[in-house]
Each structure stands twice: as structure tokens, then as C-alpha cells.
Amino acid sequence: MRRPHPNWGHPDHDACGTGFIARLGGAPNHDIIEHALTALERLTHRGGVDADGASGDGAGLLTSIPDAFFRARAEEQGIALPEVFGLGFAFFPEGSAAEARTAVETAADVERLRVLGWRRVPVNTNSLGRLALETMPETWQFFVEPFHPARGAARFEWRLALLRKRAESLLPARCYICSLSSQTVVYKGLLTPWQFPQFYEDLRDPAFATTFAVFHQRYSTNTQPSWHLAQPFRYVAHNGEINTIVSNRRWLRAKERETRAKLAAGPWLRLLEENVSDSASFDNAFELKLLEGFSADAAMLSVHGAAGVRE
């Protein structure tokens, strides 16, 4: 009789906790968010907590954009959104918002896009731990319009990604754009699962209706927990460590000139973000494959196969 593997049935033999909720072919619904938040809370045991006992290693959601919700929020700011728009979500260190907004708007002009306006994301800090509160950035959203809507959604997504990359080269230190897309938005932070919906008031609004939600609870292993390293990232929620991360980063940087030429981009385009986790670099590489024209499944197979992921 075969003996069972010693880890079988043991709930804590891996790191992080992640999953997704989706309703295929269904209309957007707030139930998706509620189910995702419940699932996230069930993963509390999979995440790390700071020595203060209240600052989590990170929690977040990647969702489809709730169109009606953001049209209403934009209207409150005096912004009339076009049929197709991009939504950005950014972390700015306290006191740097004016300079950061100028950097994003400058990058948008160069990329032939238009920033229609900004929204300060409403948050509730009462439940935060000491470390999370001390390091908390300002949370901003911004709306982007294409100058040429007829060029299609795929081209707009490509242009938004280049806008974010160009903005990153201009932004003040410690600024971070969590997401910038016409299809998805990321809410995340240095939070525990139960703090997460208390902190982001948007998520409690019944009008925040989506077709899917990817959730992630982080257990930091080789990087210091921070607001920007919470997951999901812009495309993935990743559970595991990459055995060959140093080699992978070197190989990607070795292709920097070639990749920039393919994308008709200058030195401003950084292939990899600095001082980030394995998973963040994985997300960077996946995005580059998409920008080069790979389909999502081909990009994932290409990056995952080269990553030496331990699962």
C-alpha cells in the first residue's frame, strides 16, 4: 500500500492564497465581489501579518471594470466619459500628487491619449495596522480617452500600457500605477482580508458590479511587504516562487534593446521594475509578451515555461 505524501491534506504547505470568481456569459453583478471577498477572508490563514499584529502582507482584487459605477463616479467629478475609456489606479506618496498627475498627463500627451480627470479614491483608515498606516500612499484614479476611438480596443490597450511605461519614467520616487486599462482595475494594499473591504469603500457599493474577480492574499517570503507589492498585479495573481529569477531577469534585460526596437520605444521603457518580487517580474514579462503581439495563452506558456516556477 502506497503511503500518502506527507503534505497531502495539510492546508499550509504552500504560500499565499489566490483564486477567482466568474460568471461566464452573465451580466455584471455585485455578487461576484461579495463572493470574492468571502473567499479572500477564508484565506486569512495563508497570509502573513506584521509584528504589529494588524498590518497584513497584502490583499487585493483584480476585476472587470464596473462601467456604470465609474460613469457615475466620473460624473460626480464633472467628467463625461466616452463610450470607451481607460481607468488608472495609482499610489502616490503623500504630498507628491500634483507632480505625479502632471507626469501622467505629460506622458498621455506624448502617447496621443487624453487624461479626462482625476478621482481621489475614498478610503477608511480606521482598521489599518500601524505599519500600513505609516506607509499608506494617497490613492488616486484617473480616466483616459483615446484621441482615435475608431482604432479599436486592442490598440487602445496597447497604447495604455505604453502610457503607463512612459509615465513610470517620469513619476516621482515611490509612485506606483497599480493598473491602467479599459478592461480591468486592481484594488489592493498592505491589508488583511477582513480589512480590505473596510478600507476601500467602493467595494461595498452594490453598484460595483463585475463579471469576474481574481483575489489574492499574500505571504511575503523574499521581499519586504509593501503597498505596491500586494497582489494581484496588473495581469496575474501568482502563488509560488521562481527558482531561476536572477537568471530570468538577466536574460530579459539582455533583450532590452531588441524589445524596445520591436515596440518602437526609447530608453524610457523599462522592461522590469526595480526592487520588486518574483511575481511582479513575472507580471512584467507577461505584459511584454502581450505588447509584442502574443495571445494571452501563448504569452503565459512562454513566460511560465521559462520561469522555473515552483508550485
Side-chain angles (χ1 to χ4, degrees):
M1 181 176 177
R2 292 182 61 188
R3 298 179 61 187
H5 189 281
N7 280 340
W8 288 358
H10 193 292
D12 296 319
H13 69 271
D14 208 344
C16 301
T18 187
F20 68 92
I21 305 288
R23 180 176 288 124
L24 298 179
N29 196 299
H30 186 65
D31 287 350
I32 296 291
I33 297 298
E34 292 181 347
H35 290 320
L37 292 174
T38 298
L40 188 61
E41 192 167 347
R42 298 291 191 271
L43 294 174
T44 299
H45 67 287
R46 300 297 294 271
V49 179
D50 187 71
D52 65 14
S55 297
D57 277 9
L61 294 182
L62 163 67
T63 78
S64 60
I65 291 178
D67 187 83
F69 174 85
F70 278 109
R71 289 187 184 279
R73 301 293 79 74
E75 187 175 349
E76 293 171 355
Q77 305 295 319
I79 303 167
L81 294 179
E83 181 179 353
V84 177
F85 65 92
L87 174 65
F89 192 115
F91 290 155
F92 297 150
E94 187 174 355
S96 69
E99 183 181 356
R101 288 168 57 167
T102 298
V104 172
E105 291 166 5
T106 299
D109 288 341
V110 177
E111 292 298 333
R112 300 189 296 279
L113 298 170
R114 183 184 293 111
V115 176
L116 297 173
W118 294 80
R119 173 188 183 236
R120 184 74 180 265
V121 182
V123 297
N124 177 7
T125 61
N126 291 335
S127 63
L128 294 186
R130 178 186 54 79
L131 177 64
L133 186 60
E134 289 176 352
T135 60
M136 185 186 73
E138 295 182 10
T139 50
W140 288 86
Q141 289 169 338
F142 56 98
F143 303 95
V144 181
E145 176 184 36
F147 278 136
H148 304 288
R151 290 184 176 177
R155 182 68 178 179
F156 186 34
E157 278 295 293
W158 189 83
R159 185 61 64 186
L160 287 171
L162 290 185
L163 162 57
R164 198 199 79 247
K165 288 284 192 181
R166 186 181 291 275
E168 288 171 351
S169 71
L170 302 173
L171 285 167
R174 298 185 294 116
C175 290
Y176 181 81
I177 300 177
C178 303
S179 61
L180 176 54
S181 171
S182 63
Q183 300 173 357
T184 60
V185 61
V186 172
Y187 280 72
K188 66 178 186 177
L190 199 59
L191 307 160
T192 65
W194 67 268
Q195 291 169 343
F196 182 62
Q198 295 183 34
F199 182 75
Y200 285 117
E201 298 177 7
D202 288 353
L203 301 178
R204 303 196 301 272
D205 192 319
F208 199 97
T210 68
T211 56
F212 73 87
V214 179
F215 52 88
H216 191 281
Q217 157 72 348
R218 188 171 188 234
Y219 185 92
S220 179
T221 54
N222 55 10
T223 52
Q224 187 72 16
S226 68
W227 282 81
H228 75 284
L229 290 182
Q231 295 194 46
F233 290 111
R234 299 168 190 117
Y235 295 93
V236 305
H238 184 241
N239 179 13
E241 296 177 354
I242 299 175
N243 296 333
T244 58
I245 188 62
V246 174
S247 174
N248 289 358
R249 286 168 173 159
R250 286 174 177 168
W251 275 111
L252 192 57
R253 288 192 175 100
K255 299 178 181 178
E256 197 161 46
R257 183 177 297 180
E258 176 186 344
T259 302
R260 284 174 176 164
K262 286 181 181 178
L263 301 177
W268 53 266
L269 189 144
R270 293 183 301 172
L271 272 58
L272 291 173
E273 295 167 306
E274 299 294 332
N275 302 314
V276 296
S277 63
D278 304 13
S279 298
S281 292
F282 183 93
D283 190 78
N284 292 163
F286 179 70
E287 179 182 48
L288 287 170
K289 291 297 182 183
L290 295 178
L291 290 175
E292 289 178 15
F294 283 65
S295 65
D297 52 349
M300 184 58 69
L301 286 172
S302 174
V303 176
H304 191 279
V309 177
R310 185 178 72 210
E311 297 178 320

